[in-house]
Amino acid sequence: MIIPIAVQGASKQRKREAPKGRRVDPVALAEVQALLGDASRSADMLIEHLHKIQDRFNCLSAAHMAALAQEMKLAQTEVYEVATFYHHFDVVKEGDNQPEALTVRVCDGLSCEMQGARDLLAKLPAILGKEVRVIPAPCVGRCEQAPVAVVHQKPIPNADVEQVAAAVAAKETKHVPEPYKDYDAYVAEGGYALLDACVNGGRDVESVIKAMEDSGLRGLGGAGFPAGRKWRIVRAEKGPRLMAVNIDEGEPGTFKDRYYLERDPHRFLEGMLIAAWAVGIEAIYIYLRDEYHGCRSLLETELAKLAQHPLLARPDAPQLPVRRGAGAYICGEESAMIESIEGKRGMPRLRPPYVAQVGLFGRPTLEHNFETLYWVRDILEKGGAWFTSHGRNGRKGLRSFSVSGRVKNPGVKLAPAGITIQELIDEYCGGMLDGQKFYAYLPGGASGGILPASMNDIPLDFDTLQAYGCFIGSAAVMVLSDRDTAVDAARNMMNFFQHESCGQCTPCRVGTAKASALINQPKWDLDLLADLSFVMRDASICGLGQAAPNPVDCVVKYFPQELA
């Protein structure tokens, strides 16, 4: 179409009456302003503010997102791309219907699948009716209670149809924490005396870091980097320095951090503050996965009590903001978590530079998993030699194993590092379920690979499983019986990886989808799967894509009878 010159000129001269993009609805703007109150409008608060809107209106409408963008002085595309990245945000496009008033999530992780999650997903929609949305959810971190359904924010352990229906009918949607050791109880038992000694000169930084190094404690989120060495590295960087605590715990099969946080939160908080003192940290950002609603309530309550402690009232005390995840497994990766804390999509960064050098807000950052900090007080009070005095089969230290699957007594098992799977099952889990025979196990969650029961004598620790194509990671042990197959386990894991890939790099984004499609076929194309595995391991940006082939490769290597 040819536009007349006169019209073209008029168009150029016409002044824009409103900013580009969607016009902001004044009612939506007033609602957003009321929700935010006097909270900061800085860009790093975007996810926190999206949660406020989601919690209030049960979804994120286009009008509210446009209003939030204006209020935070962000482009509407920035708000939209973040909101659509995270699974727990329900973005409603113009013309779409709002989601049902209540959502029930049924965990479809491997442990829950083995205990009947598929049956729940099949039956609940008809029973609960059209006013309730029933959807599958990736692991919710309660594998010892499988199967688990979550009614809005309330988890239903060992769920059946009747329990879920009763919770929905009674409108039981909030998770209330069970009794735990609160601030007063912790202090009454000597809590925070060690922190006081550190800050008031009773301990010096060098002796504290040396004790951590002597203990051999390694990062218990999965990477296994020596904790004491990390403290020394970050302390050597020019300040200001920050700290990020990872309680995202999204690896299927892992629930140890939640277990300890629900029982003794101040042991972790004291270890965290000691680490901050030793390294010279100005602010500590605690990143908690959104599935742990009860833990968030508990943590906010206890942090408010802790603020009354004289040390926290000092002008040089670190700030302690809690940041809420929004349903993204990838944010367990340290740089993706940092991106999320900054209010962005949780996409891993290329390295170098490393987080210890250029991390949160561009500052040197000490990043730690919850459980690593949980052990700081015990190690400093009892000495590094105490921690190394534990262990079996030539290994040293203690490990918190999250055990689920076909054992009589699943749960968190504090056991010597280097224990074998057979010893763990027999001595700590009461053996296999009656009438079931040990068949296989996943030593390190979804990404740690699968081994047959015949390989039951391998010490479970860092560096002991790599020779077999596996690793221990965060010590999430899932036990399979003769009622299960490794093929089905691999399918579950690869479906999970496909769902949780952030999509940033092609090898992971396309590779997980292609591998999932291939292994869901009756006959596997082994040559093509081998090629996929090589490319994903070699070219993926982060550990998700690099480790995703582990379950499939293990099936091919150790369970050929299932592929015959």
Side-chain angles (χ1 to χ4, degrees):
M1 175 180 176
I2 300 175
I3 302 175
I5 294 176
V7 175
Q8 287 181 334
S11 177
K12 289 180 180 179
Q13 294 173 1
R14 187 181 298 129
K15 292 183 179 180
R16 185 176 299 279
E17 298 177 357
K20 285 185 178 182
R22 175 182 296 276
R23 296 192 181 191
V24 175
D25 176 60
V27 175
L29 180 61
E31 290 172 337
V32 167
Q33 290 172 335
L35 279 175
L36 270 54
D38 59 0
S40 169
R41 267 61 166 176
S42 62
D44 62 289
M45 293 296 290
L46 175 56
I47 295 172
E48 295 297 305
H49 295 337
L50 286 170
H51 273 302
K52 290 185 176 75
I53 298 172
Q54 172 84 30
D55 290 346
R56 171 64 180 81
F57 296 102
N58 198 39
C59 66
L60 298 175
S61 69
H64 283 131
M65 287 193 292
L68 181 62
Q70 177 171 305
E71 189 67 11
M72 298 186 71
K73 296 180 172 58
L74 297 172
Q76 292 183 21
T77 52
E78 290 181 81
V79 175
Y80 183 81
E81 72 176 9
V82 171
T84 53
F85 180 85
Y86 294 94
H87 303 313
H88 288 187
F89 291 139
D90 289 310
V91 176
V92 178
K93 299 177 183 178
E94 190 170 2
D96 289 351
N97 294 324
Q98 290 195 1
E100 292 81 353
L102 181 63
T103 297
V104 173
R105 290 181 166 87
V106 178
C107 177
D108 64 357
L110 180 58
S111 297
C112 285
E113 183 180 274
M114 288 192 291
Q115 299 293 344
R118 288 183 182 178
D119 190 51
L120 277 177
L121 283 165
K123 292 179 179 178
L124 282 174
I127 293 172
L128 299 181
K130 295 181 179 180
E131 297 301 313
V132 179
R133 178 176 59 163
V134 179
I135 58 174
C139 183
V140 297
R142 296 183 174 274
C143 314
E144 84 280 25
Q145 303 168 358
V148 179
V150 182
V151 179
H152 185 48
Q153 295 182 352
K154 181 180 177 62
I156 309 295
N158 309 117
D160 58 32
V161 170
E162 290 75 20
Q163 290 174 310
V164 176
V168 170
K171 298 183 179 179
E172 296 176 357
T173 60
K174 294 290 184 181
H175 184 206
V176 179
E178 297 291 328
Y180 60 90
K181 188 181 294 183
D182 65 3
Y183 176 78
D184 293 333
Y186 184 75
V187 171
E189 295 179 0
Y192 292 108
L194 179 60
L195 175 64
D196 291 346
C198 290
V199 175
N200 295 323
R203 297 266 189 143
D204 65 275
V205 170
E206 178 57 33
S207 68
V208 166
I209 295 180
K210 183 67 165 55
M212 293 298 296
E213 291 174 330
D214 291 345
S215 73
L217 180 68
R218 297 171 66 169
L220 297 173
F225 193 86
R229 189 192 308 173
K230 184 182 286 189
W231 291 18
R232 197 175 292 281
I233 289 171
V234 179
R235 181 177 170 81
E237 295 289 328
K238 183 179 179 181
R241 307 174 199 92
L242 302 175
M243 186 173 177
V245 180
N246 189 342
I247 323 181
D248 194 53
E249 193 172 50
E251 183 73 22
T254 308
F255 47 90
K256 60 184 178 60
D257 293 352
R258 187 214 85 231
Y259 176 87
Y260 288 129
L261 179 55
E262 287 178 336
R263 288 159 177 78
D264 195 1
H266 287 279
R267 187 169 297 273
F268 145 69
L269 290 172
E270 183 170 13
M272 178 186 78
L273 290 170
I274 290 170
W277 163 80
V279 177
I281 299 296
E282 294 196 2
I284 305 169
Y285 288 78
I286 303 172
Y287 189 85
L288 180 67
R289 72 180 307 203
D290 194 36
E291 289 84 352
Y292 291 171
H293 300 286
C295 290
R296 186 171 66 254
S297 172
L298 176 161
L299 194 55
E300 290 171 347
T301 297
E302 295 308 311
L303 283 172
K305 296 177 182 177
L306 181 59
Q308 303 170 14
H309 193 287
L311 294 181
L312 272 297
R314 294 167 52 140
D316 59 343
Q319 300 174 28
L320 305 174
V322 177
R323 290 296 168 85
R324 180 178 172 184
Y329 166 73
I330 191 63
C331 290
E333 196 276 340
E334 62 175 5
S335 66
M337 178 187 69
I338 284 172
E339 289 286 296
S340 189
I341 292 172
E342 292 180 356
K344 306 170 187 174
R345 294 176 294 170
M347 289 190 168
R349 298 175 178 177
L350 292 171
R351 289 185 283 269
Y354 296 96
V355 166
Q357 302 164 312
V358 181
L360 191 54
F361 305 117
R363 302 308 313 164
T365 301
L366 178 67
E367 192 276 340
H368 265 314
N369 167 259
F370 169 94
E371 195 203 348
T372 310
L373 298 168
Y374 185 85
W375 288 109
V376 168
R377 177 185 168 188
D378 277 324
I379 288 171
L380 296 182
E381 287 182 342
K382 300 174 183 177
W386 164 80
F387 194 75
T388 60
S389 69
H390 299 86
R392 289 188 188 179
N393 301 307
R395 311 302 298 178
K396 295 181 179 180
L398 291 165
R399 293 304 303 264
S400 299
F401 294 92
S402 303
V403 185
S404 63
R406 309 292 194 180
V407 294
K408 286 183 178 178
N409 301 314
V412 173
K413 311 298 178 181
L414 183 60
I419 194 172
T420 68
I421 183 63
Q422 196 65 60
E423 293 168 336
L424 189 63
I425 293 171
D426 294 342
E427 298 176 29
Y428 289 82
C429 301
M432 298 292 293
L433 288 170
D434 291 339
Q436 300 191 36
K437 183 180 178 181
F438 179 33
Y439 176 69
Y441 65 108
L442 289 77
S447 52
I450 310 173
L451 292 171
S454 59
M455 300 174 67
N456 64 350
D457 58 350
I458 302 171
L460 299 178
D461 196 16
F462 295 114
D463 310 322
T464 61
L465 292 156
Q466 281 84 337
Y468 308 98
C470 300
F471 58 82
I472 194 168
S474 58
V477 177
M478 293 186 273
V479 180
L480 310 185
S481 78
D482 50 0
R483 297 186 182 183
D484 310 302
T485 69
V487 165
D488 283 342
R491 286 170 175 159
N492 182 287
M493 299 296 99
M494 193 57 72
N495 288 339
F496 169 81
F497 289 130
Q498 179 186 356
H499 183 265
E500 292 299 319
S501 173
C502 75
Q504 179 178 192
C505 66
T506 303
C508 178
R509 181 184 68 250
V510 177
T512 53
K514 184 66 174 178
S516 183
L518 285 171
I519 66 173
N520 276 287
Q521 297 298 315
K523 184 174 177 60
W524 288 13
D525 186 335
L526 300 183
D527 291 337
L528 185 51
L529 283 169
D531 287 344
L532 269 176
S533 174
F534 176 81
V535 172
M536 291 171 69
R537 293 181 188 280
D538 187 62
S540 294
I541 289 175
C542 81
L544 192 158
Q546 294 163 10
N550 283 346
V552 175
D553 290 351
C554 284
V555 170
V556 174
K557 185 175 183 180
Y558 299 117
F559 302 89
Q561 73 279 5
E562 293 190 20
L563 302 177

